[in-house]
Amino acid sequence: MSMRIALVYPKWNKIPEQTEFHLPPHGPVCVAAAIPEQYEVRFTDENVDSLDYDWTPDVVLLSMMLTCQLPRGKEIAAEYRRRGVPVVSGGIATMLHAEEIAEHVDSVFLGEVEDGRLAGVLADCRQGRLQAQYNYFHDFPPIESVGPARRDILNRSRYVYRGVKMVDLVHASRGCRFNCFPCATAYLGGRQFRPRPLDRVVEELAGIDNNRLFMVDNSLAQDKEWVLELFAAMKPLKKKWISHPILDDDEVLTAAAEAGCWYVYQAVFDTSEVIRNRVRRLKDHGIGVEAAVLLGPDNQDADYIKRLVDFLLEIDVDMAEFSILTPFPHTPVTAKFEQEGRILHRDWRRYTTAEVCFQPKQMTPDELQEMYAYAWRTFYREVPQPLRMARLFSEVVKKEMQDGTYIPHRQAAERRWQAGLDR
Ligand code: B12
Ligand code: SF4
């Protein structure tokens, strides 16, 4: 028997200071890959399309990644439940807010969907015996069962910015063995690094109709031997990619550049020589740097933040993204702030990292908010964000022209038209 499934990714508030573009979400395309083929799936990313409540599915799969998606997720669940449609919620934010979301949906799924787990939930639903909770938390499916994501569910035309197709997201590993203080990944991933078999990764990469990718692995600094093997396997594909931090090692960086690394998000937390040298080494290898800068930890005051911004300009990072430290559930920093009574509110809509939600140690909340605005303003004063992005973009075009993978926009549009995809 067939089933109609609405897979929904609720809208979230983008950070106002960032350029407004949308990346194709990654959780939902992995969820879709685990839905048995005979079922009909309609996906809505509310960030780019509105929901069509006139189409009544048999079940709604709500996928939430961020805490700030939660309030909207609850509204969507209420709307469908009012129409008698059961709602199953899953994803990172569901795991981080499991008890709270359970009150608003019919079923909460904790964990990863592969290895027949989601198929089991859907079978239960079809037979009218959906359980209130499916708990696979830290009970991971075999990593070999993670197959290629189903990117065909995406409304591709929506993920374009000024005529440029956005990167596609892909992951070669799950988990993270580190436990950084503002991060929930250790809680979610159980600190177990779980690399996918390389032949499966290569199969997936080769099948993506996009030369530009974002490797969303938590960290490519967890296992030297493995990243070297990964980069060697990626090299012949000539893809160009962005990633979270890569191991700071000359052999690894050389291999990353040869495998098509375009730029990395590099955490910049102080003005040390370690950071200066790391950024220089990345640039020496032809890899761009977007600094990820957290504002508000206890060691920072207003002067510290001013020095940090000057330092970013001095070491000449290509871009910078400033975030206010935010007490997300199940992070080491939240445990500390809770104990110290420093959390100001739990209005999840405002947990975007653009607003102060805790009492900083060396500043008032207003001062930190002002220093956040100062950081964005000052860093982008002389070379504004669109210009810096255009420069970074020209780097990938250069790399593509060198290895013959550059497709001029018109040519790409023609190819799509020929393939009948634009009809
Ligand atoms: C990729 C990523 C991003 C990408 C997302 C791009 C996109 N469009 O999807 C980008 C770079 C844009 C991003 C941005 C941010 N991110 Co982010 N991101 C991640 C990261 C590294 C991986 C997520 C991922 O794709 N995983 C791989 C997929 C396959 O796994 P998954 O989503 O868990 O899905 C599986 C299961 O959960 C389940 N599942 C998922 N959905 C559903 C639904 C149902 C019904 C079911 C049954 C199952 C199910 O099945 C899937 C397959 O097994 C996570 C860390 C992590 N380890 O998860 C942080 C993470 C989600 N991000 C985080 C943060 C803080 C941010 C930012 C706020 C940071 C910042 N200041 O810039 C911004 C958002 C800013 C904004 N408001 O605009 C936090 C979340 C904190 C929170 N509680 O909100 C995380 C957890 C990292 C951390 N620091 O702790 N991020
Ligand atoms: S910040 Fe990055 S390296 Fe640190 S625990 Fe989170 S995912 Fe791992």
Side-chain angles (χ1 to χ4, degrees), residues 49 132 139 144 173 202 244 264 277 348 365 386 396 399:
D49 278 313
D139 170 12
E144 301 72 32
S173 64
V202 169
H244 291 124
V264 297
N277 290 336
W348 303 134
V396 78
K399 286 179 200 279

Side-chain angles (χ1 to χ4, degrees), residues 175-186 217-219 222 244-245:
C176 183
R177 64 185 179 85
F178 305 119
N179 187 20
C180 304
F181 72 97
C183 184
T185 302
D217 298 59
N218 292 308
S219 160
Q222 303 192 60
H244 291 124

Side-chain angles (χ1 to χ4, degrees), residues 63-128:
S63 179
M64 294 187 288
M65 180 182 90
L66 297 172
T67 289
C68 61
Q69 280 178 295
L70 219 67
R72 179 62 191 146
K74 290 178 191 172
E75 287 171 6
I76 294 170
E79 196 59 47
Y80 277 109
R81 293 177 89 200
R82 216 166 47 77
R83 290 155 201 257
V85 182
V87 178
V88 182
S89 180
I92 294 164
T94 300
M95 287 187 257
L96 296 179
H97 300 268
E99 279 182 27
E100 183 178 337
I101 195 72
E103 290 171 25
H104 300 266
V105 297
D106 299 277
S107 176
V108 167
F109 183 98
L110 307 175
E112 299 174 0
V113 290
E114 290 80 7
D115 204 29
R117 291 166 177 198
L118 181 58
V121 175
L122 295 171
D124 282 356
C125 182
R126 215 179 50 201
Q127 289 156 20

Side-chain angles (χ1 to χ4, degrees), residues 271 295 301-313 371 374-375 378:
T271 57
L295 303 181
D301 59 11
D303 277 348
Y304 188 106
I305 294 176
K306 284 184 183 162
R307 284 200 300 276
L308 206 51
V309 176
D310 289 347
F311 178 72
L312 293 170
L313 289 165
M371 290 317 295
Y374 166 91
T378 310

Side-chain angles (χ1 to χ4, degrees), residues 9 12-15 18 23-27 30-31 61-63 65-67 88-92 95-96 109 111-114 118 169 171 174 182-185 188 214 216 218 244 321 323 328 352-353:
Y9 193 61
W12 79 56
N13 293 328
K14 295 288 279 187
I15 293 173
Q18 273 174 339
L23 298 179
H26 193 47
C30 294
V31 170
L61 299 181
L62 200 58
S63 179
M65 180 182 90
L66 297 172
T67 289
V88 182
S89 180
I92 294 164
M95 287 187 257
L96 296 179
F109 183 98
E112 299 174 0
V113 290
E114 290 80 7
L118 181 58
L169 276 60
H171 67 300
R174 289 186 177 171
C183 184
T185 302
L188 295 165
F214 179 2
V216 297
N218 292 308
H244 291 124
E321 184 181 87
S323 310
F328 292 117
T352 58
T353 71

